[in-house]
Amino acid sequence: MGIKDLLRFMKPYILPIHIQKYAGKRVGIDAYSWLHKGAYSCSMELCLDTDGKKKLRYIDYFMHRINLLQHYEIIPIVVLDGGHMPCKAATGDERQRKRKANFDAAMAKLKEGNVGAATELFQRAVSVTSSMAHQLVEVLKSENVEFIVAPYEADAQLAYLSSLELEQGGIAAVITEDSDLLAYGCKAVIFKMDRYGKGEELILDNVFQAVDQKPSFQNFDQELFTAMCVLAGCDFLPSVPGVGISRAHAFISKYQSVERVLSVLKTKKGKLFPDNYSSSLVEAVSVFQHARVYDFDAKKLKYLKPLSQSLLDLPVEQLEFLGPDLTPSVAAAIAEGKVDPITMEAFNRFSVSKTPLKTPVRSFKEQEKSGSFLERIELKRTADEAMIDPEAVLKEPKYSKQDLDLHKLVLQPNKDQMVIRTGNPSLIPNNNPFKIRKTDEMNMESEEYGLQQLKVSFGTKSEGMDVSCSSPNSKEHDCSEGQKEVIIDLSKLVDDSGVKQDCEKNREEEGFESTEDDVVEIQGHVNITTKRVRGAKPRTESFKVKTSSTCSENKKAKINKKSSILDFFHRL
DNA sequence: AGCTAGTACTCAC
DNA sequence: GTACTAGCT
């Protein structure tokens, strides 16, 4: 939702620019915007979780834009969303239901054979999942693109980076579609950046300094501006009925103080003014000012802006609304993309895996991002696959039978079973001209993700879980085109043979040859204690962990398409 | 004039 | 998440 009507209201201050303006500078990117847009190019594939490269087109979209920035010598800093703020309004159930309805309608159209109508409906059903985010993180890692997973809102983290000096790792501007960045006090924000690098920019200082410009913010400071945003209605607090951006601005201009505006509003609105509105507004403004963010240098959480005395006087428990505190190690693990910020599960070396949470209440964003029905994830792109004719892919008859099977899985998301198909995560779209990968880097990564990953925690209550996953030994990079397949049988609830067969079938279809020779297996037990920092009770669970790796050596030679940056821009 | 609520859109072969 | 708009106060 952002700040209701803020961008329209601020239109006079929003000017067209080209990102070239930021050549040589560091620029922050609100990953959610691009993930969401990119998802449109493959919404059906994402919803159905089909196998194949088309599902990863959102990565293509994202990386093409990263490449665009790099072409203009901009240093992109990708910021991803982390956990959810406790105070976030629970407006999501409605959207979630709509998505589900669109998904069901899309499946119906698909059964009828009306692919066009289905595609349209899938576009309304698609949402950004944490699997997608993590998949992106893996590609960013492999491409050496700087990224950070915010402890909570990416917006707050971006605003924090924007407040830092360049030498401290600060950024000169933020690219986003979200008006919240302004409420957080981001100095320079670029909206609606297109594929050529054109966008619309708002410089906050220009707003405060402008004379003879309407609407006028001459007597505003950042706090009043943020208060205006909250009054107009934001994610943390809906506005008082009848108050929108114009009236919010008028009130703040006139009374120059949050307290006075609130008391006037109270007498004016009478019964329409909610009892706890004043305290909620002050809290919401505080979140925009002091939200918890990650300090990359100190490697711990800190506040976007140092706490005021009145906040410092509060007992620590009452500061939870700024984002619950996280221990430095947890905060760092989240920031570096090693731990899922919502479930607190360690990410698998190759992919994301998790069952839907069984906690009674899940917020909208939580459901949206943790992938309510997209529990299967694949990263199995190979160079071979990249050679497949797109036409042929489209003609594959998989949309009939296989998707019905998938649909069953979708309708029973609680089944404690999933199949994770993984491949070399470093493989980025083959049409990607900036694919430069150094082998030693890859090996370093593999070490970093080594056996410690056996200590992963799994956020389920299942017992006796068998985890088969690819062993991250250095060898596998010698056969980076090889494919790994992981099957997790979390319970005996479901007969897994069907799924396994599907996998085998896929392997054949894709010409995958598994050689038993290089299968490595490690088996053992690990005891895991998961400390759920946000609200839930700590758990200790015991899992049987089995690791195996399958690599195929005799893969076709990689296509050595010499794709230069110029090639890429010619295609644009 | 401004707020509310409903609809349409984001990609790109 | 946004933009646009018809209809209401």
Side-chain angles (χ1 to χ4, degrees):
Chain A
M1 199 164 64
I3 309 298
K4 220 188 284 171
D5 285 330
L6 182 63
L7 292 187
R8 190 182 48 79
F9 190 71
M10 300 303 290
K11 205 79 184 184
Y13 296 96
I14 299 177
L15 302 170
I17 55 128
H18 192 276
I19 39 123
Q20 203 164 12
K21 177 179 172 184
Y22 289 98
K25 304 263 174 66
R26 291 157 59 85
V27 169
I29 290 144
D30 182 7
Y32 183 86
S33 316
W34 288 0
L35 281 173
H36 199 251
K37 282 187 175 178
Y40 269 76
S41 61
C42 50
S43 52
M44 171 147 55
E45 289 73 16
L46 285 168
C47 285
L48 295 173
D49 197 23
T50 55
D51 298 330
K53 66 172 182 176
K54 202 183 171 188
K55 202 179 77 179
L56 291 174
R57 276 210 330 220
Y58 69 94
I59 299 278
D60 288 23
Y61 175 87
F62 203 106
M63 296 311 286
H64 270 287
R65 290 192 165 210
I66 290 292
N67 189 37
L68 175 77
L69 299 185
Q70 287 173 338
H71 176 259
Y72 288 106
E73 275 154 30
I74 294 163
I75 303 149
I77 318 293
V78 177
V79 179
L80 297 101
D81 280 291
H84 311 298
M85 295 296 281
C87 55
K88 201 116 184 178
T91 53
D93 284 349
E94 187 62 33
R95 277 197 208 182
Q96 185 71 26
R97 259 196 300 279
K98 278 187 178 170
R99 262 198 285 273
K100 177 78 171 66
N102 282 316
F103 177 83
D104 292 341
M107 290 308 290
K109 288 287 176 196
L110 209 56
K111 260 184 191 170
E112 291 171 20
N114 191 344
V115 184
T119 306
E120 207 169 298
L121 288 160
F122 277 128
Q123 289 188 339
R124 298 180 193 190
V126 78
S127 63
V128 177
T129 64
S130 60
S131 297
M132 290 166 66
H134 186 241
Q135 205 131 4
L136 173 67
V137 161
E138 291 299 326
V139 176
L140 293 173
K141 278 180 189 168
S142 71
E143 295 303 308
N144 293 313
V145 175
E146 215 176 306
F147 75 91
I148 174 168
V149 181
Y152 300 100
E153 305 263 292
D155 302 352
Q157 187 68 39
L158 286 160
Y160 170 69
L161 293 175
S162 154
S163 74
L164 295 179
E165 296 299 321
L166 256 60
E167 309 82 63
Q168 302 171 282
I171 51 179
V174 170
I175 300 171
T176 185
E177 302 300 322
D178 190 348
S179 57
D180 274 344
L181 268 294
L182 301 175
Y184 278 107
C186 224
K187 304 272 179 230
V189 188
I190 299 162
F191 300 100
K192 300 174 185 68
M193 195 197 90
D194 67 15
R195 57 176 157 166
Y196 308 106
K198 286 193 292 184
E200 300 177 357
E201 184 184 52
L202 190 145
I203 311 278
L204 218 40
D205 284 340
N206 292 348
V207 172
F208 296 130
Q209 285 159 19
V211 228
D212 296 340
Q213 179 90 290
K214 276 198 288 186
S216 168
F217 291 90
Q218 281 198 60
N219 298 312
F220 278 57
D221 57 12
Q222 183 57 51
E223 182 176 358
L224 290 176
F225 185 87
T226 303
M228 176 194 79
C229 292
V230 176
L231 280 168
C234 65
D235 285 351
F236 306 125
L237 184 67
S239 69
V240 174
V243 177
I245 189 68
S246 297
R247 285 178 189 149
H249 175 261
F251 279 128
I252 296 285
S253 297
K254 190 170 175 186
Y255 299 105
Q256 301 283 303
S257 126
V258 179
E259 286 67 33
R260 277 192 287 252
V261 169
L262 284 170
S263 81
V264 171
L265 212 51
K266 190 172 186 170
T267 53
K268 225 173 188 167
K269 291 287 171 181
K271 225 181 152 188
L272 288 172
F273 189 87
D275 285 340
N276 53 359
Y277 186 78
S278 293
S279 58
S280 299
L281 182 128
V282 172
E283 247 184 37
V285 171
S286 293
V287 174
F288 282 119
Q289 290 175 315
H290 310 287
R292 274 206 161 104
V293 295
Y294 183 68
D295 180 340
F296 223 93
D297 285 338
K299 298 211 176 293
K300 60 174 187 183
L301 291 195
K302 77 186 275 185
Y303 299 104
L304 169 52
K305 195 179 131 192
L307 295 185
S308 58
Q309 193 54 50
S310 56
L311 285 168
L312 282 168
D313 291 341
L314 290 173
V316 265
E317 312 88 68
Q318 285 183 44
L319 289 173
E320 292 269 295
F321 71 95
L322 298 174
D325 200 5
L326 301 170
T327 64
S329 58
V330 171
I334 291 173
E336 290 162 25
K338 291 173 177 165
V339 168
D340 185 304
I342 295 159
T343 63
M344 295 299 180
E345 294 167 41
F347 282 120
N348 182 282
R349 160 67 176 86
F350 301 105
S351 63
V352 193
S353 81
K354 65 183 147 319
T355 48
L357 287 180
K358 284 171 185 120
T359 42
V361 183
R362 288 171 79 199
S363 73
F364 159 58
K365 269 209 166 173
E366 200 164 346
Q367 292 190 20
E368 183 173 59
K369 290 187 182 175
S370 61
S372 51
F373 49 76
L374 294 169
E375 303 302 339
R376 287 165 39 114
I377 140 159
E378 51 96 46
L379 237 183
K380 58 184 198 56
R381 220 138 149 39
T382 65
D384 293 0
E385 246 190 321
M387 285 169 79
I388 291 171
D389 175 16
E391 291 294 319
V393 174
L394 284 169
K395 283 171 194 154
E396 278 177 43
K398 68 169 74 162
Y399 291 113
S400 46
K401 188 211 163 288
Q402 204 180 1
D403 287 341
L404 283 175
D405 294 339
L406 285 167
H407 191 204
K408 283 179 206 157
L409 286 172
V410 165
L411 292 175
Q412 299 158 30
N414 279 337
K415 280 192 179 168
D416 285 346
Q417 161 142 32
M418 58 209 137
V419 177
I420 304 162
R421 307 172 55 78
T422 64
N424 188 338
S426 73
L427 282 175
I428 54 160
N430 197 53
N431 61 353
N432 200 318
F434 52 96
K435 181 177 166 184
I436 311 152
R437 187 95 171 109
K438 289 154 221 131
T439 353
D440 42 302
E441 278 165 14
M442 292 164 76
N443 287 329
M444 274 173 69
E445 258 177 53
S446 95
E447 263 163 47
E448 193 186 329
Y449 281 91
L451 288 178
Q452 72 184 61
Q453 287 301 315
L454 289 176
K455 291 183 220 149
V456 293
S457 61
F458 292 86
T460 81
K461 300 223 165 114
S462 314
E463 283 176 357
M465 183 167 73
D466 277 342
V467 180
S468 309
C469 64
S470 305
S471 168
N473 53 13
S474 55
K475 194 179 176 184
E476 72 196 29
H477 287 303
D478 298 329
C479 45
S480 55
E481 268 70 64
Q483 212 174 9
K484 294 106 195 169
E485 187 165 298
V486 180
I487 295 174
I488 298 184
D489 184 4
L490 293 176
S491 75
K492 290 123 209 160
L493 284 175
V494 208
D495 172 22
D496 64 331
S497 56
V499 185
K500 271 184 181 164
Q501 277 164 14
D502 269 8
C503 293
E504 293 301 331
K505 202 187 84 191
N506 289 336
R507 286 159 61 127
E508 281 163 30
E509 279 172 5
E510 288 143 18
F512 178 81
E513 305 162 34
S514 80
T515 43
E516 292 297 310
D517 310 8
D518 36 25
V519 171
V520 183
E521 286 200 353
I522 302 159
Q523 195 160 3
H525 279 83
V526 274
N527 283 314
I528 301 131
T529 304
T530 335
K531 194 179 169 218
R532 297 266 305 170
V533 193
R534 279 193 282 280
K537 52 266 152 200
R539 311 182 293 245
T540 303
E541 291 155 42
S542 174
F543 303 117
K544 201 165 68 177
V545 178
K546 194 173 113 187
T547 308
S548 68
S549 166
T550 314
C551 272
S552 169
E553 309 278 359
N554 45 355
K555 302 305 287 183
K556 287 179 202 163
K558 207 192 289 179
I559 341 149
N560 208 354
K561 193 178 173 184
K562 249 197 198 154
S563 38
S564 71
I565 228 150
L566 282 173
D567 288 339
F568 169 60
F569 281 96
H570 277 121
R571 279 200 293 279
L572 282 178

